[in-house]
Amino acid sequence: NPLADLRTLSTYRWPDPDDERICSLIYRSVEGYNREEQFLCGSHRDTLWEKSYMLVGMENMMCYFHTEPTAAREVLHRIMDFQLGIARHYLSLGVEMVAMGDDLGTQRALLLSPRIINEFFVPEYRRLFDLYKQHGVLVAFHSCGHIEPILDVFMDLGVDILNPIQVSANDLEGLRRKTQGRMALQGGIGSALIMSGPPEAIRCEVRRRVWQLGREGGYFCGPDQGLPFPAEHEQALADAIDEFGRYPLQFPPLE
């Protein structure tokens, strides 16, 4: 946490998105890319909130929103300056979609209040979203945990695909009802179930979620977390998605 003491903020040396040690990796990664066969996607992993607490410390950053709001805003603004620089490299290569993400939810509630998210984060997110939207680039956003209270924030920003819609932390029926036709969903199959199995239970869960979340379109079925699942269970998941993820969808049996 190099910025745990905000007195060092004025002398902190921020990374340069045009530094060859950073941006050259982007250009090397598309060597051999065939636009006719592959979909080009950029990544802004740990986009803003997570970058900020890596620099400042999570507890510190939470406090600074209240005790040092000007400095907190500067940290977020400088982080987003870097992300915008990276975005310009992606755009020069013609990316069709970008992945962003910040874990904003806990198992039962938001990690930060809606007020903090709207006052501190949304203006900075909007800078990056607007740049991509001006170029017709799709945006996929990852946020673990309970995120129902800020669904409107995601939709207003222009999120095209929301991931991972964690089943243990959200009312997926209500989440789908609110987002249908406005934002696609990705995930929805509990990682605990995929880890423990058995395969038949995974199959039944896929059938249920595909109907619940995908019967009107806009759903990419998959795990709600990426984990080293048993190979047999991963195969059961893939087979079930292949079996039930085709229109017309099959209504699941009544429980």
Side-chain angles (χ1 to χ4, degrees):
N1 309 133
L3 291 176
D5 183 346
L6 287 184
R7 288 176 296 185
T8 63
L9 184 56
S10 62
T11 58
Y12 183 71
R13 185 178 178 181
W14 293 88
D16 178 1
D18 296 326
D19 186 325
E20 283 294 315
R21 293 171 297 177
I22 298 173
C23 65
S24 62
L25 299 174
I26 295 173
Y27 293 90
R28 289 204 301 271
S29 69
V30 298
E31 292 174 1
Y33 163 67
N34 185 335
R35 185 173 291 274
E36 298 301 316
E37 298 181 359
Q38 296 169 297
F39 194 74
L40 190 60
C41 182
S43 174
H44 294 273
R45 184 180 174 89
D46 312 320
T47 307
L48 187 60
W49 160 236
E50 295 188 33
K51 283 277 193 296
S52 73
Y53 72 66
M54 291 173 191
L55 288 167
V56 178
M58 184 179 287
E59 185 175 342
N60 290 336
M61 195 66 187
M62 287 178 165
C63 291
Y64 290 150
F65 290 134
H66 303 278
T67 63
E68 302 285 348
T70 300
R73 285 190 173 91
E74 182 177 349
V75 169
L76 297 174
H77 195 78
R78 295 298 294 268
I79 292 170
M80 193 53 77
D81 284 345
F82 175 83
Q83 299 287 24
L84 286 164
I86 294 297
R88 285 187 279 273
H89 290 294
Y90 285 146
L91 289 170
S92 73
L93 292 170
V95 294
E96 298 158 283
M97 184 171 78
V98 291
M100 305 182 195
D102 280 316
D103 289 339
L104 299 170
T106 70
Q107 194 69 12
R108 298 184 179 182
L110 290 174
L111 191 60
L112 305 165
S113 72
R115 182 184 71 82
I116 294 295
I117 292 170
N118 278 288
E119 288 185 14
F120 288 85
F121 291 92
V122 168
E124 296 299 334
Y125 281 137
R126 199 174 297 283
R127 296 171 67 202
L128 187 58
F129 271 86
D130 285 355
L131 177 62
Y132 280 124
K133 291 300 175 179
Q134 289 165 11
H135 291 83
V137 176
L138 296 170
V139 176
F141 197 95
H142 168 93
S143 190
C144 288
H146 181 77
I147 43 77
E148 291 176 56
I150 52 172
L151 288 176
D152 285 329
V153 171
F154 293 130
M155 290 186 285
D156 180 62
L157 284 169
V159 172
D160 296 291
I161 305 168
L162 182 63
N163 162 283
I165 52 171
Q166 193 173 325
V167 62
S168 60
N170 297 282
D171 170 17
L172 297 194
E173 189 70 39
L175 193 152
R176 175 73 288 181
R177 188 165 52 249
K178 191 166 188 175
T179 60
Q180 188 68 61
R182 300 177 64 190
M183 184 167 62
L185 304 177
Q186 180 183 29
I189 307 299
S191 55
L193 174 63
I194 303 172
M195 185 63 74
S196 62
E200 183 56 32
I202 296 170
R203 180 177 180 275
C204 291
E205 180 71 353
V206 168
R207 183 174 186 178
R208 184 162 70 98
R209 295 299 178 199
V210 164
W211 176 262
Q212 179 188 44
L213 302 174
R215 62 181 180 270
E216 296 181 51
Y219 175 49
F220 298 89
C221 186
D224 67 4
Q225 296 294 330
L227 294 170
F229 299 118
E232 180 187 9
H233 297 174
E234 280 195 304
Q235 189 61 52
L237 176 69
D239 290 345
I241 293 172
D242 185 60
E243 178 181 359
F244 298 118
R246 300 169 183 271
Y247 291 96
L249 300 182
Q250 303 178 37
F251 185 80
L254 298 175
E255 297 180 354

